Amino acid sequence: MDSLFLQQVVNGLIIGSVYSLIAIGLTMIFGVMRISNFAHGDYAMVGAYVAVFVMMWLPGPLGWVNALLAAAVIVAVAGVVSELLIFRPLLDRRTDIDMIMVSIGLFILLENLAQFFFEARPRMLADPFGGNTVDLGLVSTSQLRLFCLAFSCVAIAGLQVFLNRSKTGIAIRATSQNSRAARLMGIDINRIYTLTFGLGSAMAGIGGVLYGTLFAVYPTMGAIPTLKAFVVTILGGMGNIRGAIFGGFILGVAETLGGSYLAMEYKNAIGFVIIILVLLIRPQGLFGQREGV
Amino acid sequence: MIKKSLGIALFTACFLFALCVGPALSADSVKIGILGPFSGSLAFNASEMKKGMLLALEEVNDAGGLFGRQVELVYGDTECKPDKGVGAVKKLLTRDEVLVVGGGYCSSVNIAASQIADMEKCPVVVAIAISPTITNRGLEYVFRTSPNSPMFLNGINQWLEKVKQAKTVAFFMENSDYGRDGEKIWSELSKKIKAKELAHLYFEIGDTDFTTQISKLKNLNPDVTFNIASTTEAALIQKQAKELNFVTQWIGVGGQFTEAYFKMTGPISQYAMGSSLEPTLNMKSPETAAFVEAYRTAYPDSRPGIFSSQGYDNLKVILDAVQRAGEPTGDLQQDREKIKDALEKTDMKLTQGRITFEDDGQVHSVVPSVVQVQLENCEPELRIIYPEDRATADYQAPQPWRERECQ
Amino acid sequence: MLRIDGLSVFYGKASALSDVALEVAPGELVTLLGSNGAGKSTLLKTISGLLKPRSGTIRFDGASLQELPSHKIVGRGVIQVPEGREIFPDLTVRENLKMGAFTRRDPDVDQDMERVFNLFPRLEERLAQRAGTLSGGEAQMLAIGRGLLSAPRLLMLDEPSLGLAPVVRDAIFEVIRQIHEERGLTVLLVEQNARMALSISSRAYVLENGRIIREGDAAALMDDPEVQRAYLGY
């Protein structure tokens, strides 16, 4: 195996892990509440700005870890507030299109607020690892990139443990599969909604810090993560958490390998080709077991 | 009843007053239209241009304005989109009735907007957009105060030919007219200097992840990589090249070297090259030194970048032409005609150098220098390395990342 | 124990239940008969709080239920095993059972789990399996087991035999009889299979077009010519 191939796989896994992290929140919220939240990437943007401000006070690795935690908490609160104030009141008398319009409105609002408060200038988060690179023979990368991969995996694994082991976590999955049966189990689905929105947003917030550290932080940065998260979600099956995890890595590697060996101009188009193929061949997604309940 | 009629009377009075005062006020001022992407992703660069313009505006208004009137800038936001730009210029020409249009950042917007201004017989003076098309269509009312892209690249081409003599080159540019124009020019040059073209890679405006392309470039290991990108993308590419341990001689057009770029990259932009008219570099000229001084006083937190000086020069040229055209008569057509005639006779020494227009309305007397990012106490600084008579530093060949002191 | 009076429910403008009165005493097994679309499932959904009534009262142990959200109704011990099982297909059998015990904090859950396994040994064999892969009979066992783990005081079963093979159906009825007779659990049973249902019930109601048209002892209804014609196929 040549070094370019390996290098592209590693690049793909790193960016893919961030895609997964952001897509998990989107797919959870869709699964539980049937909301396609087009503002999801903007929660990532909010998380990235939290990191900008935390790291002004506290630079270096310690500041970065604190930024990740702070972003998770603050964005979770933002998610809960938007669920309670914007989505919840519409939940009973909505159509899917109404919800999509509302989320697009929220996306525009958040972008404009960010532009108003933080100016349009992109900011770079200082590399908490001082830009140290790691040379693994055939593959080079940086400490930061490896840490991003590791942190995404830890966050994803932590969420998986919560969803699979804790009673509340299982209740979230149960609600996503059949909310009426969940109510008959005595699950308070309004609490599940709030919790899911909070958790999903926290994941996006962490993803936003990673995305912002790898790339840059600016008010309109949320659009790309939203787009990628939708590709991943359709790829893995709407509402399917395992699908989102694998889908993120698959998209990341498909983009880097496709960009490298097929045509670089169309690197971004690869996601859309995947969406079209999935919708034609396997509309329930790679990991979806059934049509929507 | 009394209250009501009193209300109506007051309202009428206010209305009449507004009717009299409104036009009187704006007739009093000399109105100049300014186009630019004041919102959207290029807003921070447009604001740099605006800062330079405001300095020029302050100078003239503090000295009593023109013909005893204040000069007023009317902004038209193009968002860097041709359709928005057309709308904005039409509004400036017909609703705001400006005497002349300045500013202008994005090439595709200004190709369209200048055509419209020309049809309306209103002079338009483009500040920043670099596509040669803007001034090579033979439009009588279109001027440009900065070099076009071949002129920008001229110096670098000479340097590559005479000094660097690269054996292998690669191309990595944004998938747009800006990127493809530059690619064409440099591809021709590569053939001329017999350098092998290893790859032509593209990215989309707004992309953030360039690791795929950089990994591929690293595998090919070119001596020189032409990178035509705007500020944000160019900065991200530098950062990711470091993370992937890729070393090459990066050469860009030069427009990426903005304040925002250096804030984003810090020392990792070391060795990157481009063309520049960066005012701080040309401090030897008294006009440039005075501008840098004034800019630093007015905006202590920001550095005077290329767009600020291009904005400043642009408005200075316009103000000078309006002055020489004589006091506006109120006949818009006649006033605009006189300003166009005055513009043709422009001859000023400004921050970028001497500005005169040839028949095509293009400045040919401003010659950009070849610059390289070099470090001073780990802070990035642009230094002129070519042509030799202007050079303030020697060329530094890129070193492997692990041997660089500042990262 | 459960007492419903004057209950009316609408789907938009269409009336689904009108002026329904029904009572279940502690320890009883009451059957609710009715053809498709008669309003049986609507009644159970309303009791569980999934639908809100237009008028009428639902009282459980004297306390009103109709103002409560469904999870609080479950907390009172009013448990429904819904029509079509509605198990969680992507959860394992164990996780499904755990969800049955969602509201419980008492230490008897493990013991109840054992009792469910005694009733349905098949479930114990399939604990780690995805519930979506179970057969129809196993899924019904899981649905009932899940209901039993909710610590029911009143268990409402909606069409438990629907779509099952005769052998499996008999086994399910046997279990219903057992939990009713041996543990004294109060049951409200909705069934299409009137004969089997009446044979294990004490009393029954017949619902048609959203109204109760007959009620009485199971044995008496078994002999009612109208019921015989409509539901027993004589």
Side-chain angles (χ1 to χ4, degrees):
Chain A
M1 227 180 295
D2 69 331
S3 100
L4 178 61
F5 181 83
L6 269 182
Q7 177 72 52
Q8 298 295 29
V9 170
V10 170
N11 293 343
L13 291 176
I14 290 167
I15 184 69
S17 72
V18 182
Y19 290 167
S20 294
L21 197 58
I22 296 176
I24 281 182
L26 184 74
T27 213
M28 273 174 68
I29 291 168
F30 178 83
V32 170
M33 305 175 75
R34 305 286 130 159
I35 293 173
S36 300
N37 187 6
F38 280 84
H40 191 69
D42 293 283
Y43 295 114
M45 178 268 290
V46 173
Y49 274 104
V50 169
V52 167
F53 291 108
V54 170
M55 290 186 76
M56 272 180 192
W57 292 101
L58 195 61
L62 188 65
W64 196 57
V65 171
N66 276 300
L68 284 162
L69 297 176
V73 172
I74 291 173
V75 180
V77 171
V80 166
V81 169
S82 56
E83 195 272 326
L84 289 176
L85 293 185
I86 300 169
F87 292 104
R88 174 79 61 85
L90 289 164
L91 211 53
D92 291 332
R93 32 187 174 132
R94 52 81 191 250
T95 62
D96 291 349
I97 290 292
D98 293 341
M99 279 304 191
I100 289 173
M101 296 321 283
V102 167
S103 74
I104 290 174
L106 182 62
F107 146 71
I108 294 169
L109 176 75
L110 286 174
E111 263 193 6
N112 282 302
L113 282 178
Q115 236 154 28
F116 182 77
F117 285 113
F118 309 135
E119 49 184 300
R121 172 172 73 84
R123 300 156 196 254
M124 220 90 138
L125 285 168
D127 185 333
F129 303 99
N132 290 338
T133 51
V134 179
D135 225 326
L136 305 166
L138 289 176
V139 175
S140 347
T141 188
S142 64
Q143 285 183 5
L144 169 69
R145 293 187 156 256
L146 288 181
F147 204 89
C148 282
L149 178 63
F151 198 90
S152 302
C153 291
V154 167
I156 291 169
L159 183 72
Q160 279 293 87
V161 168
F162 170 73
L163 289 174
N164 289 321
R165 297 291 150 80
S166 77
K167 201 153 115 175
T168 314
I170 299 172
I172 290 179
R173 288 161 59 218
T175 307
S176 146
Q177 289 166 39
N178 187 338
S179 64
R180 194 174 56 193
R183 290 168 74 184
L184 292 176
M185 299 301 108
I187 295 168
D188 179 356
I189 57 169
N190 282 330
R191 275 190 50 208
I192 297 288
Y193 288 169
T194 307
L195 185 65
T196 304
F197 231 99
L199 263 181
S201 306
M203 287 287 155
I206 294 171
V209 178
L210 299 182
Y211 206 90
T213 320
L214 284 176
F215 308 127
V217 183
Y218 47 97
T220 53
M221 67 178 280
I224 292 180
T226 302
L227 205 70
K228 302 287 183 191
F230 268 97
V231 174
V232 169
T233 307
I234 293 170
L235 175 65
M238 300 286 283
N240 189 313
I241 290 163
R242 217 154 35 102
I245 297 170
F246 288 106
F249 286 102
I250 290 172
L251 178 66
V253 174
E255 277 185 352
T256 52
L257 288 184
S260 187
Y261 291 99
L262 298 175
M264 201 66 82
E265 295 95 307
Y266 303 118
K267 180 169 161 259
N268 286 313
I270 287 169
F272 295 102
V273 172
I274 290 177
I275 284 196
I276 293 167
L277 287 179
V278 166
L279 289 178
L280 281 176
I281 299 166
R282 211 179 144 76
Q284 72 273 40
L286 291 184
F287 295 83
Q289 268 106 6
R290 71 219 129 84
E291 302 279 316
V293 182
Chain B
M1 197 58 204
I2 295 171
K3 261 187 192 165
K4 196 176 171 190
S5 46
L6 192 66
I8 293 170
L10 264 177
F11 176 79
T12 317
C14 288
F15 185 72
L16 286 174
F17 186 69
L19 216 62
C20 301
V21 170
L25 265 182
S26 54
D28 226 356
S29 66
V30 174
K31 286 207 282 188
I32 296 169
I34 302 295
L35 290 175
F38 297 110
S39 67
S41 63
L42 286 164
F44 54 96
N45 285 348
S47 75
E48 199 179 307
M49 172 181 86
K50 193 168 157 183
K51 280 179 181 170
M53 290 185 152
L54 289 177
L55 275 185
L57 182 72
E58 218 177 88
E59 284 173 15
V60 66
N61 280 341
D62 284 357
L66 292 176
F67 322 110
R69 303 185 192 174
Q70 289 286 293
V71 177
E72 183 191 347
L73 300 186
V74 187
Y75 298 98
D77 184 7
T78 67
E79 297 176 34
C80 204
K81 294 171 185 156
D83 56 328
K84 294 272 163 55
V86 166
V89 77
K90 280 184 174 161
K91 180 181 165 288
L92 291 178
L93 294 179
T94 54
R95 269 240 315 273
D96 301 319
E97 303 194 327
V98 299
L99 291 169
V100 45
V101 177
Y105 185 103
C106 301
S107 287
S108 44
V109 168
N110 284 282
I111 291 171
S114 58
Q115 181 108 39
I116 285 169
D118 188 76
M119 285 188 316
E120 291 279 333
K121 297 191 191 305
C122 176
V124 51
V125 189
V126 175
I128 294 173
I130 67 169
S131 170
T133 313
I134 292 171
T135 45
N136 70 9
R137 293 169 296 177
L139 299 179
E140 202 183 340
Y141 292 83
V142 180
F143 300 84
R144 171 158 48 195
T145 47
S146 58
N148 63 18
S149 53
M151 293 161 71
F152 250 103
L153 301 188
N154 212 4
I156 287 192
N157 289 355
Q158 284 178 21
W159 178 81
L160 278 166
E161 210 177 329
K162 294 185 181 142
V163 184
K164 178 71 178 177
Q165 293 168 330
K167 300 265 183 309
T168 53
V169 297
F171 296 79
F172 185 23
M173 57 255 128
E174 85 178 33
N175 194 5
S176 69
D177 284 337
Y178 171 51
R180 300 231 179 214
D181 275 357
E183 178 191 12
K184 218 162 82 188
I185 292 166
W186 273 329
S187 188
E188 277 165 20
L189 174 79
S190 304
K191 289 189 180 75
K192 194 168 144 200
I193 62 174
K194 299 201 170 60
K196 197 170 167 216
E197 294 174 42
L198 299 178
H200 290 249
L201 306 181
Y202 304 89
F203 62 87
E204 298 299 326
I205 299 172
D207 273 2
T208 49
D209 181 16
F210 304 98
T211 53
T212 311
Q213 293 97 325
I214 294 169
S215 297
K216 194 150 178 178
L217 289 170
K218 186 184 173 195
N219 208 44
L220 297 168
N221 195 23
D223 295 341
V224 164
T225 306
F226 295 110
N227 180 218
I228 308 171
S230 293
T231 299
T232 310
E233 288 89 348
L236 287 171
I237 288 166
Q238 291 298 317
K239 183 178 178 218
Q240 290 169 29
K242 169 166 196 283
E243 290 171 348
L244 296 171
N245 196 16
F246 172 49
V247 178
T248 190
Q249 176 58 60
W250 292 104
I251 296 182
V253 174
Q256 76 272 30
F257 292 143
T258 58
E259 188 186 354
Y261 174 86
F262 290 113
K263 272 194 178 159
M264 287 169 79
T265 60
I268 58 175
S269 52
Q270 190 184 7
Y271 306 120
M273 285 174 56
S275 283
S276 188
L277 289 162
E278 174 89 22
T280 44
L281 298 174
N282 298 318
M283 295 275 275
K284 284 178 189 163
S285 127
E287 289 81 7
T288 318
F291 169 75
V292 170
E293 177 69 28
Y295 192 92
R296 285 188 171 145
T297 315
Y299 313 107
D301 296 332
S302 51
R303 59 183 267 153
I306 173 169
F307 299 136
S308 63
S309 76
Q310 286 180 326
Y312 177 83
D313 286 6
N314 183 258
L315 190 59
K316 280 298 242 190
V317 165
I318 291 171
L319 292 170
D320 171 66
V322 173
Q323 169 98 61
R324 283 185 288 110
E327 180 159 9
T329 58
D331 177 348
L332 204 55
Q333 208 47 64
Q334 197 191 329
D335 293 338
R336 285 173 174 173
E337 199 65 32
K338 280 196 294 187
I339 292 172
K340 185 212 61 172
D341 294 341
L343 275 168
E344 284 169 356
K345 299 193 186 75
T346 297
D347 188 349
M348 302 178 81
K349 258 201 106 219
L350 291 167
T351 68
Q352 303 180 85
R354 184 169 166 226
I355 293 191
T356 56
F357 296 113
E358 292 186 15
D359 289 348
D360 55 0
Q362 172 66 48
V363 157
H364 290 261
S365 44
V366 171
V367 183
S369 318
V370 178
V371 295
Q372 185 178 36
V373 181
Q374 302 189 348
L375 299 185
E376 180 76 42
N377 298 324
C378 287
E379 286 296 319
E381 252 188 35
L382 278 178
R383 290 183 186 150
I384 298 174
I385 57 163
Y386 193 84
E388 275 118 13
D389 58 339
R390 261 189 264 167
T392 55
D394 289 331
Y395 168 67
Q396 297 176 353
Q399 298 302 305
W401 284 104
R402 64 178 52 117
E403 284 163 30
R404 300 188 192 181
E405 275 170 33
C406 313
Q407 304 212 349
Chain C
M1 182 179 240
L2 177 73
R3 190 188 169 88
I4 297 173
D5 278 308
L7 188 73
S8 296
V9 178
F10 285 74
Y11 286 119
K13 284 183 176 166
S15 164
L17 292 176
S18 48
D19 200 23
V20 167
L22 179 144
E23 199 172 355
V24 182
E28 264 194 316
L29 194 164
V30 173
T31 290
L32 183 61
L33 295 175
S35 50
N36 274 336
K40 299 168 303 205
S41 294
T42 304
L43 180 57
L44 293 200
K45 281 180 191 159
T46 312
I47 297 170
S48 287
L50 298 179
L51 294 173
K52 290 291 156 209
R54 177 79 54 94
S55 59
T57 56
I58 305 170
R59 295 185 161 273
F60 186 72
D61 285 346
S64 172
L65 288 189
Q66 74 259 33
E67 305 303 327
L68 296 180
S70 48
H71 63 274
K72 294 237 163 97
I73 295 174
V74 171
R76 301 275 168 100
V78 178
I79 306 302
Q80 182 185 161
V81 177
E83 181 182 355
R85 346 294 183 214
E86 307 220 4
I87 54 174
F88 304 112
D90 286 341
L91 299 190
T92 63
V93 169
R94 184 197 297 281
E95 287 170 336
N96 266 276
L97 293 171
K98 247 190 192 164
M99 285 299 96
F102 183 78
T103 54
R104 292 177 62 182
R105 308 249 182 280
D106 57 282
D108 300 337
V109 177
D110 290 340
Q111 197 186 330
D112 283 357
M113 194 82 95
E114 282 306 312
R115 288 162 75 180
V116 168
F117 295 149
N118 287 337
L119 286 172
F120 304 115
R122 293 274 278 284
L123 291 183
E124 194 170 12
E125 292 162 21
R126 305 202 185 286
L127 270 179
Q129 205 169 312
R130 270 188 56 241
T133 63
L134 296 180
S135 71
E138 290 166 342
Q140 187 61 58
M141 293 174 195
L142 178 57
I144 295 175
R146 196 177 61 172
L148 289 173
L149 274 169
S150 307
R153 296 182 55 225
L154 169 67
L155 186 66
M156 305 188 290
L157 297 159
D158 196 351
E159 308 268 17
S161 76
L162 194 71
L164 298 183
V167 188
V168 186
R169 184 190 63 200
D170 293 349
I172 295 285
F173 267 99
E174 175 53 25
V175 167
I176 296 171
R177 196 194 55 74
Q178 264 184 41
I179 54 182
H180 167 62
E181 285 178 7
E182 292 169 17
R183 299 195 201 166
L185 184 62
T186 312
V187 176
L188 176 58
L189 176 63
V190 167
E191 236 329 311
Q192 295 261 4
N193 192 326
R195 190 192 316 276
M196 290 194 78
L198 289 176
S199 70
I200 59 171
S201 326
S202 42
R203 287 191 309 115
Y205 292 82
V206 179
L207 194 62
E208 226 175 80
N209 294 328
R211 291 171 188 279
I212 302 282
I213 57 156
R214 287 278 193 290
E215 63 171 288
D217 283 351
L221 279 176
M222 196 88 99
D223 295 333
D224 186 309
E226 181 78 0
V227 173
Q228 283 181 350
R229 190 185 53 71
Y231 303 104
L232 298 174
Y234 288 149

